[in-house]
Amino acid sequence: ELFPMKKERMGRHKQYDLLVKELQMSPAISAETFEENRQGVAPRLAASAGLEAELQNLRTDEEVGLHSLKQELSRLTAELESLRLRRSNIETRQILIRRDLCREIGCTEEDIPFAGELIRVRPGEERWEGAAERILRNFALSLLVPERLYSKVSEWVDKTDLRGKLVYYRVTEAALQDEASAENIASLVNKLEIREDSSFFPWLAREISRRFDYVCCESMESFRRERQAHTLTGQVKGAGNRHEKDDRAALHDRSRYVLGWSNEAKIALL
């Protein structure tokens, strides 16, 4: 009966010797040495416990960061899959709302385009692209609904939980007759191009001219002088001397761009 106890205690003694050697402490050849080691290791245990707690906090932070990265990866993967199935730069959530709408009322996505799918910054004016994207963003994410589909669209929207936001414009036949253009060659209007083969071309030309006749200013002197203007860095001056600059997202973050009828650049970036 004593042999197993002896074996167990010899094993513990051997383990103890290994530990004190690793800690560069004296072997316990006496009760006094054992007590010295016990007292000497106490502050090191406290420091070790503090380090362990610190490392655990760092691990928790890294796990939170990893979870966030995985969510972003999933979002980007879904966005890429959606972009590869279409030509539009419009955000996937808005595309899904339109898809459901079209399926329910029996029309095609070409019948009710987003404004941004029919507008782009003219080739050669790319340096104004970031500012243009900011100014036109809300308008670009709006659906254009022809008169013949207006009743069905408005009824579906009213009865459906969109789980998001949808803005749409009723485009009457009369509204498709007139065009307008900005006189100032430096106007943002003249740096934009509307898809010419779209039946919404006249309506868009008039609305863009009416809403976005902002002078593109190269200097702050001209910006302060004009009634409606914007700068390359995205500062906008509108009606009533209202000034705005929204830097919550980077001005040239192409992943947020919504204008244009080709998404090759956005796919390449993502």
Side-chain angles (χ1 to χ4, degrees):
E1 294 181 3
L2 293 176
F3 182 73
M5 184 183 296
K6 178 181 178 182
K7 186 176 181 180
E8 185 265 336
R9 290 187 178 182
M10 288 181 69
R12 291 171 62 187
H13 177 70
K14 185 178 181 180
Q15 183 184 27
Y16 180 90
D17 282 347
L18 289 173
L19 290 173
V20 295
K21 185 177 181 180
E22 187 175 340
L23 293 171
Q24 297 181 337
M25 302 177 80
S26 301
I29 57 176
S30 67
E32 290 76 12
T33 310
F34 181 85
E35 182 60 23
E36 287 175 4
N37 286 346
R38 190 182 69 79
Q39 293 181 8
V41 84
R44 298 171 75 170
L45 282 171
S48 179
L51 178 60
E52 184 178 11
E54 182 181 344
L55 291 174
Q56 184 58 50
N57 289 336
L58 289 173
R59 179 191 176 101
T60 300
D61 290 342
E62 292 298 323
E63 287 175 344
V64 170
L66 178 60
H67 179 68
S68 178
L69 287 172
K70 285 181 176 179
Q71 287 184 318
E72 179 67 4
L73 175 61
S74 295
R75 185 191 69 79
L76 288 175
T77 300
E79 184 74 14
L80 277 169
E81 289 175 354
S82 175
L83 286 168
R84 290 187 177 113
L85 295 174
R86 53 189 167 92
R87 302 287 294 169
S88 169
N89 288 299
I90 301 298
E91 295 170 345
T92 300
R93 179 63 223 154
Q94 302 304 111
I95 292 291
L96 293 176
I97 291 176
R98 180 177 62 180
R99 183 198 63 186
D100 293 343
L101 168 59
C102 291
R103 184 173 59 236
E104 288 297 318
I105 70 173
C107 71
T108 68
E109 295 186 359
E110 288 72 22
D111 290 329
I112 47 175
F114 286 98
E117 294 175 318
L118 306 177
I119 307 166
R120 71 176 181 182
V121 174
R122 289 184 182 278
E125 301 287 358
E126 287 82 5
R127 66 197 187 106
W128 295 99
E129 195 169 16
E133 285 279 347
R134 274 192 185 177
I135 294 172
L136 271 77
R137 181 176 179 83
N138 289 337
F139 182 70
L141 293 173
S142 304
L143 275 179
L144 307 183
V145 179
E147 181 66 25
R148 62 186 174 82
L149 295 174
Y150 174 66
S151 295
K152 290 182 178 181
V153 170
S154 59
E155 184 175 344
W156 182 85
V157 170
D158 196 57
K159 71 180 182 180
T160 303
D161 179 2
L162 302 174
R163 297 174 187 165
K165 178 181 178 180
L166 178 66
V167 175
Y168 65 94
Y169 289 93
R170 177 184 185 180
V171 182
T172 64
E173 293 300 323
L176 292 172
Q177 305 307 314
D178 303 322
E179 293 186 35
S181 61
E183 296 181 0
N184 191 333
I185 194 170
S187 172
L188 175 62
V189 175
N190 293 317
K191 298 186 184 301
L192 300 174
E193 183 178 356
I194 302 170
R195 188 159 182 163
E196 295 183 357
D197 60 357
S198 170
S199 61
F200 294 97
F201 184 97
W203 185 88
L204 279 171
R206 190 184 72 248
E207 288 298 308
I208 289 173
S209 180
R210 181 173 69 85
R211 294 166 179 266
F212 305 110
D213 189 14
Y214 294 95
V215 177
C216 300
C217 296
E218 303 275 359
S219 67
M220 288 306 299
E221 287 75 19
S222 61
F223 177 78
R224 287 188 284 267
R225 184 173 61 247
E226 298 293 343
R227 183 178 62 85
Q228 288 196 152
H230 74 97
T231 66
L232 273 168
T233 60
Q235 184 176 183
V236 181
K237 177 168 67 173
N241 276 323
R242 181 180 184 274
H243 293 64
E244 177 181 336
K245 188 167 186 277
D246 185 355
D247 286 331
R248 287 175 294 178
L251 185 69
H252 298 293
D253 180 4
R254 298 195 65 88
S255 68
R256 287 177 50 82
Y257 283 12
V258 292
L259 297 177
W261 45 89
S262 172
N263 59 21
E264 291 179 1
K266 195 169 189 177
I267 289 174
L269 173 70
L270 294 180

